[in-house]
Amino acid sequence: MHEFHYRAGRRRRLWLPLLLGTLAFANTALAATLSIGIQGEPASLDTARIGGTTWENDVLGDLFEGLVTLDPAGEYIPGAASRWDISDDGTVYTFKLRDDANWSDGEPVVAKDFVLAFQRLFDPANGAVYASLFYPIRGAEAHTKGEQDAPELGVEAVDAKTLKITLNQPTPYFPTLLAHIAASPVPSHLIEQFGNDWTQMDHIATNGAFAPTSWTSHDHIAARKNPEFHDADDVALDGVDYYPVEDRSAGLQRFRAGGLDIVRDFSPDRYQWLQENLPGAVHLAPQLANYYFALNQRDGHPTADKRVREALNLAIRRDVIADKIMGGVVSPAGGFVPGGVSHYDAQTMPGLDRTMDKRVAEARSLLADAGYGPDHPLELTLRYSTTEANKRIAVALAAMWQPLGVETQLINAEGAVHYAELANGNFDVGRGSWVADFDDASNFLGILQSDSPKNYGGYRSQAFDELMAKASRETDIAARQQLLQQAERQALSDYAVAPIYVDVSRNLVNPGLEGWENNALNRHLSRWLSLAQGN
Amino acid sequence: MLIYTLKRLLQAIPTLLIVITISFFLMRVAPGGPFDGERQLPPEIEANLMAAYHLDEPLPMQYLRYMGNLLQGDFGPSFKYKDFSVTELIMQGFPVSLEIGGLAILLALIIGLPLGIAAAIKRNSTVDYLVMGTALTGIAVPNFVIAPIFALVFGVLLGWLPAGGWNGGALPNLVLPVVALSIQQIAYIARMMRASMIEVLGSHFIRTARAKGLNEGEVIWRHAIRPALLPVMSYLGPAIAGIITGSVVIEQIFGIPGIGRYFVQGALNRDYTLVMGTVVFYGVLIVLMNLIVDLLYSALDPQIRYDD
């Protein structure tokens, strides 16, 4: 572990281990090992069996390298592929793999490793959670669904170093998908030998900048620099240790005590305090992530009435939530797709530009039109998953709607129950959020499509669906952008959801760490980082 | 004694069966499933997952499958930590919890017993009030208050000890969690020892011992302490089982890779196999610890014999 003392003096630290007469902090030999506090335990190191959590990106992103990867600023750059050609109709991608791409056991990375990775991703037996992300690939959906007459999967090895991927239709954002950890290759030579046990520590080989050496569940995953990595000469760190730290205040304390160099999240409540006490370590950056409330549009729910949805949206003081409740760390959102998404201009819900008084008056008259009033108050159930911030926002919403005569019943539940209830449609207003898998507006807007399992509110709009379908076929980036923006405007004018704020990434970073750049994807590969001497 | 032990072990089987069965079905009654989360999965992928873990079978069938595997010592795969089997998770985490918990109990006994004895001997004196007042505070202040304060004071402000992390069980990493975990136990043990000591000191055989002219030290050491330990012993059985299976609070705050958090996280994640694994493990431990306590009883109290 790298010794980093933020406030505690070095001298005070030295005598106690001596007093205790034990090994203690004899870590200086591992001078360039980075310690990252990740938000939880990865489900697996096997891309076909990961659980779909953000912290899996931190670990697998360092261990594996897909065809495309990310630079420090979160921009997409060639990874295991040195270059690729796209057919004129935009459906066939031919990737040339790097000649110097190797697995950590010295075997070369070959096209077959990618073919097997995708086959495993779409194999129903693996139940891979990210399979649907890659449905643009020909045959992917049919294979995942286990259909008998599924067409041949559109991923093939032309030769050892040439990979061909065929898509159903042109998908301009396809290369960005390939930087996702689920598109990483697997060592086919090890899978042939060990099957699903290939991720065990005495078998595993990885093709990223680091290779794992040990994993003690809920303690840490240790990875050392992979000398076989094609860019190994430019990797400054000797190793990375990933510590799952679920408790955010515990993470902060371990950071302050010098045990962690990076902590991947902190409570928004602590922002002011951190700014005053650890100003050089606090990194706050807009993220491709939103926070919203789903409005149930199924029959029998008051929110099925567009006037009710509009009224509720108009009465929400998003600036108050962002500034007062979230401590000014997030920015209020008038649209569903957060600002900062590439090739996209953020949209705003109609009516939010008026003064608050006018909005509340309008909301009152809309509710009156919908048949609600003092004699017949609008009664809503609002569901949220149990966290302190969610609770405060829910209470604030109820208070903002109260002057309209709305009686809001708040129901909170732990995550598993909350999302099961949302999926079952057991709510009027339900808290949701989305963190982008890749930098494209379709990753957000897709949630509102009629057939999306994440469309909790059951929003159904033919116009919206058609615009989305049209956009998915459009190869011209500018024209596609227009279609997607038009689709969002449609959803916003239907008041399909109640957007609240655009989330931010919150990281604590040792000021002695070099190479860290805040980016909207909040992905930070350790290969770009280095620890300055003396920290 | 051997027959008694065997009998007790046989009796434990139906108890465990009932515990396992009730837990199995209770877990399934709870709303939400292992694959419900922010990332709502397309139905086909959820179906694939359910099939991969046999969750698509009728419940009685799943129950029989689980019991069948259990009889072969197979706790099944964890739904959430897929690179580990439940057995591996327990085997990796239990030694850690055992070490932390065992040390905490040891510390609690070393400090708690003498405190309790001293308070009993000096009943209603300043010593007594001081010990009992402190003990009451120890009981009243919960772990989740003590642990972060320890981490803040000794880890961050003074910088004497690591604020968290396991580091392979290095001594500096052990100190704070062990002390934090033992504080409540010290308090309980001291109070219990005091009460039972007072009772024993007022009994007839102590009066006889004194009448024989033994000095007070001998009365206490040779005659009073052993019987006074009995209530503490019976408390220790389940307490040890509870403490060596880990504390979710201590583990989360200090980043200790024990099994305590599996009880809570397994339940929150609806990781059915992990919850069942910990329940079975905990159940067996409780049964064993109670048995050991009962056997130790006979060693401490000659009136108790199990052979008949």
Side-chain angles (χ1 to χ4, degrees):
Chain A
M1 191 188 301
H2 177 83
E3 285 270 62
F4 152 55
H5 308 282
Y6 199 76
R7 297 192 76 200
R10 186 176 289 263
R11 259 172 298 129
R12 276 179 297 177
R13 281 261 239 23
L14 284 175
W15 62 267
L16 194 86
L18 292 173
L19 193 78
L20 291 166
T22 68
L23 27 130
F25 300 97
N27 299 317
T28 36
L30 304 170
T33 298
L34 184 73
S35 298
I36 307 182
I38 55 176
Q39 292 167 263
E41 179 91 354
S44 175
L45 296 185
D46 184 338
T47 47
R49 293 191 295 156
I50 48 181
T53 51
T54 52
W55 50 88
E56 284 167 340
N57 286 320
D58 297 337
V59 181
L60 279 88
D62 279 349
L63 303 183
F64 296 95
E65 185 182 51
L67 296 163
V68 178
T69 189
L70 296 164
D71 73 2
E75 301 290 336
Y76 296 96
I77 56 169
S82 54
R83 61 183 174 83
W84 55 88
D85 301 313
I86 308 172
S87 66
D88 292 341
D89 67 352
T91 60
V92 181
Y93 285 67
T94 310
F95 295 89
K96 251 324 187 205
L97 302 188
R98 313 179 66 100
D99 288 330
D100 53 354
N102 290 320
W103 292 98
S104 51
D105 60 1
E107 290 290 317
V109 173
V110 289
K112 195 171 72 165
D113 297 333
F114 285 94
V115 175
L116 185 62
F118 282 110
Q119 283 170 347
R120 296 177 83 248
L121 197 63
F122 305 128
D123 182 349
N126 286 326
V129 296
Y130 284 119
S132 56
L133 206 55
F134 298 92
Y135 279 177
I137 296 176
R138 190 188 69 200
E141 188 169 0
H143 279 266
T144 307
K145 288 179 171 166
E147 289 171 6
Q148 293 299 324
D149 51 350
E152 204 182 333
L153 192 63
V155 185
E156 56 186 303
V158 177
D159 60 44
K161 289 285 184 184
T162 312
L163 179 77
K164 195 165 96 176
I165 299 184
T166 310
L167 308 183
N168 294 317
Q169 59 187 36
T171 310
Y173 62 89
F174 184 65
T176 67
L177 275 183
L178 296 174
H180 195 279
I181 52 169
S184 306
V186 291
S188 52
H189 61 288
L190 294 179
I191 293 179
E192 279 160 18
Q193 207 177 339
F194 302 111
N196 276 347
D197 287 341
W198 72 274
T199 49
Q200 288 187 5
M201 285 301 134
D202 37 357
H203 303 152
I204 194 167
T206 62
N207 75 324
F210 299 89
T213 52
S214 74
W215 182 358
T216 309
S217 177
H218 287 91
D219 179 20
H220 77 291
I221 299 173
R224 295 291 155 256
K225 181 174 168 176
N226 171 12
E228 298 286 344
F229 181 60
H230 58 80
D231 196 25
D233 290 346
D234 289 328
V235 176
L237 296 170
D238 296 321
V240 187
D241 290 337
Y242 308 88
Y243 292 88
V245 182
E246 285 125 5
D247 185 279
R248 290 193 286 195
S249 53
L252 170 59
Q253 293 198 341
R254 286 173 71 176
F255 180 83
R256 292 175 68 198
L260 298 172
D261 296 305
I262 296 173
V263 176
R264 296 291 270 135
D265 191 23
F266 58 81
S267 167
D269 307 348
R270 303 307 301 270
Y271 177 62
Q272 292 304 337
W273 185 90
L274 285 165
Q275 273 294 34
E276 284 156 25
N277 292 278
L278 306 175
V282 184
H283 288 256
L284 212 63
Q287 196 183 359
L288 304 187
N290 66 13
Y291 184 111
Y292 66 95
F293 281 86
L295 302 172
N296 198 338
Q297 287 147 63
R298 295 173 186 85
D299 288 343
H301 293 271
T303 37
D305 187 329
K306 184 182 154 190
R307 291 167 296 190
V308 172
R309 298 199 300 272
E310 182 176 356
L312 295 177
N313 260 302
L314 289 177
I316 298 173
R317 297 165 192 260
R318 293 171 173 80
D319 50 342
V320 171
I321 295 178
D323 296 341
K324 302 284 184 245
I325 298 181
M326 297 304 291
V329 299
V330 299
S331 45
F336 194 63
V337 180
V341 170
S342 298
H343 309 296
Y344 200 84
D345 297 327
Q347 305 295 306
T348 303
M349 195 167 256
L352 298 189
D353 48 352
R354 285 172 286 172
T355 63
M356 208 57 223
D357 289 344
K358 283 187 182 152
R359 278 161 60 175
V360 172
E362 172 73 13
R364 276 211 182 91
S365 84
L366 281 164
L367 285 186
D369 288 349
Y372 297 100
D375 302 332
H376 178 221
L378 171 58
E379 291 174 9
L380 293 176
T381 54
L382 183 152
R383 277 193 172 274
Y384 63 95
S385 50
T386 317
T387 70
E388 196 49 42
N390 286 345
K391 180 180 166 185
R392 278 189 274 169
I393 290 174
V395 169
L397 284 189
M400 289 167 188
W401 291 335
Q402 199 254 342
L404 307 180
V406 179
E407 293 173 7
T408 314
Q409 189 198 357
L410 305 182
I411 305 176
N412 67 313
E414 35 154 335
V417 176
H418 173 71
Y419 289 105
E421 295 289 3
L422 290 201
N424 293 335
N426 273 335
F427 68 101
D428 297 319
V429 181
R431 183 261 171 193
S433 63
W434 188 250
V435 180
D437 290 315
F438 53 97
D439 181 4
D440 192 78
S442 66
N443 195 220
F444 287 92
L445 293 175
I447 293 171
L448 298 177
Q449 278 178 285
S450 300
D451 58 354
S452 165
K454 296 180 277 278
N455 182 356
Y456 299 122
Y459 170 61
R460 270 168 214 287
S461 157
Q462 208 183 341
F464 178 84
D465 288 347
E466 278 170 9
L467 284 164
M468 289 299 289
K470 234 172 164 178
S472 77
R473 288 191 298 269
E474 181 56 62
T475 52
D476 180 71
I477 290 180
R480 183 169 175 274
Q481 175 176 348
Q482 290 309 318
L483 286 166
L484 289 172
Q485 290 176 184
Q486 210 182 328
E488 185 181 0
R489 281 198 297 276
Q490 175 69 47
L492 293 178
S493 64
D494 287 336
Y495 299 93
V497 290
I500 303 293
Y501 64 75
V502 177
D503 212 348
V504 287
S505 58
R506 295 175 288 265
N507 288 288
L508 292 173
V509 181
N510 173 353
L513 193 70
E514 287 170 5
W516 177 280
E517 287 186 38
N518 292 329
N519 63 62
L521 280 172
N522 194 21
R523 298 259 326 256
H524 305 274
L525 304 189
S526 302
R527 67 182 274 203
W528 309 118
L529 303 176
S530 61
L531 283 158
Q533 291 303 311
N535 275 284
Chain B
M1 186 115 106
L2 186 70
I3 295 169
Y4 172 78
T5 310
L6 285 176
K7 228 176 19 210
R8 281 282 299 268
L9 286 176
L10 280 177
Q11 281 169 358
I13 292 173
T15 313
L16 285 174
L17 265 180
I18 293 170
V19 168
I20 293 168
T21 308
I22 292 178
S23 314
F24 184 91
F25 288 101
L26 267 184
M27 195 69 218
R28 303 309 174 94
V29 172
F35 309 116
D36 284 313
E38 205 155 336
R39 177 176 293 280
Q40 196 66 36
L41 299 169
E44 68 271 16
I45 292 178
E46 189 162 352
N48 288 345
L49 275 165
M50 298 294 263
Y53 292 103
H54 304 291
L55 294 175
D56 54 344
E57 292 173 355
L59 204 53
M61 182 78 190
Q62 291 183 41
Y63 174 72
L64 290 179
R65 178 188 293 280
Y66 184 77
M67 294 308 276
N69 289 341
L70 197 60
L71 284 178
Q72 297 164 33
D74 179 8
F75 285 115
S78 162
F79 293 178
K80 286 283 163 171
Y81 311 117
K82 298 181 189 175
D83 284 1
F84 298 89
S85 69
V86 170
T87 314
E88 281 171 337
L89 287 174
I90 293 177
M91 284 304 122
Q92 225 176 50
F94 179 60
V96 173
S97 298
L98 180 66
E99 189 175 348
I100 298 260
L103 287 173
I105 282 283
L106 204 66
L107 188 67
L109 286 172
I110 292 172
I111 299 175
L113 288 179
L115 282 182
I117 295 169
I121 296 171
K122 309 267 180 200
R123 184 149 45 125
N124 298 335
S125 70
T126 322
V127 178
D128 185 16
Y129 294 140
L130 208 68
V131 170
M132 285 307 108
T134 318
L136 212 63
T137 319
I139 291 173
V141 183
N143 270 342
F144 60 82
V145 175
I146 293 176
I149 291 178
F150 273 17
L152 179 69
V153 173
F154 298 104
V156 179
L157 299 179
L158 297 172
W160 290 356
L161 293 161
W166 178 236
N167 196 17
L171 187 57
N173 293 70
L174 284 175
V175 176
L176 292 182
V178 167
V179 174
L181 195 56
S182 67
I183 284 183
Q184 275 194 335
Q185 298 302 328
I186 293 175
Y188 276 121
I189 290 173
R191 282 178 62 86
M192 210 172 292
M193 192 61 195
R194 174 184 179 272
S196 78
M197 196 71 187
I198 286 171
E199 198 185 318
V200 170
L201 285 175
S203 61
H204 294 307
F205 69 92
I206 293 293
R207 201 177 314 150
T208 313
R210 284 185 178 136
K212 272 166 52 184
L214 294 181
N215 68 41
E216 194 61 19
E218 257 183 307
V219 168
I220 289 164
W221 281 113
R222 291 192 49 193
H223 297 283
I225 287 185
R226 259 171 58 160
L229 276 174
L230 286 178
V232 180
M233 289 294 304
S234 46
Y235 164 76
L236 278 183
I240 290 178
I243 213 165
I244 63 178
T245 43
S247 149
V248 64
V249 174
I250 297 290
E251 286 177 12
Q252 292 219 337
I253 289 172
F254 292 111
I256 308 280
I259 59 171
R261 66 175 83 192
Y262 294 149
F263 288 91
V264 177
Q265 273 186 357
L268 288 179
N269 289 335
R270 303 291 187 271
D271 193 339
Y272 297 143
T273 43
L274 184 56
V275 171
M276 290 307 296
T278 48
V279 164
V280 173
F281 186 75
Y282 189 53
V284 170
L285 262 183
I286 290 263
V287 167
L288 283 182
M289 292 313 297
N290 278 332
L291 178 61
I292 292 173
V293 166
D294 287 350
L295 295 177
L296 280 178
Y297 254 54
S298 73
L300 282 174
D301 186 346
Q303 293 174 53
I304 302 171
R305 284 287 174 265
Y306 296 120
D307 289 331
D308 310 327

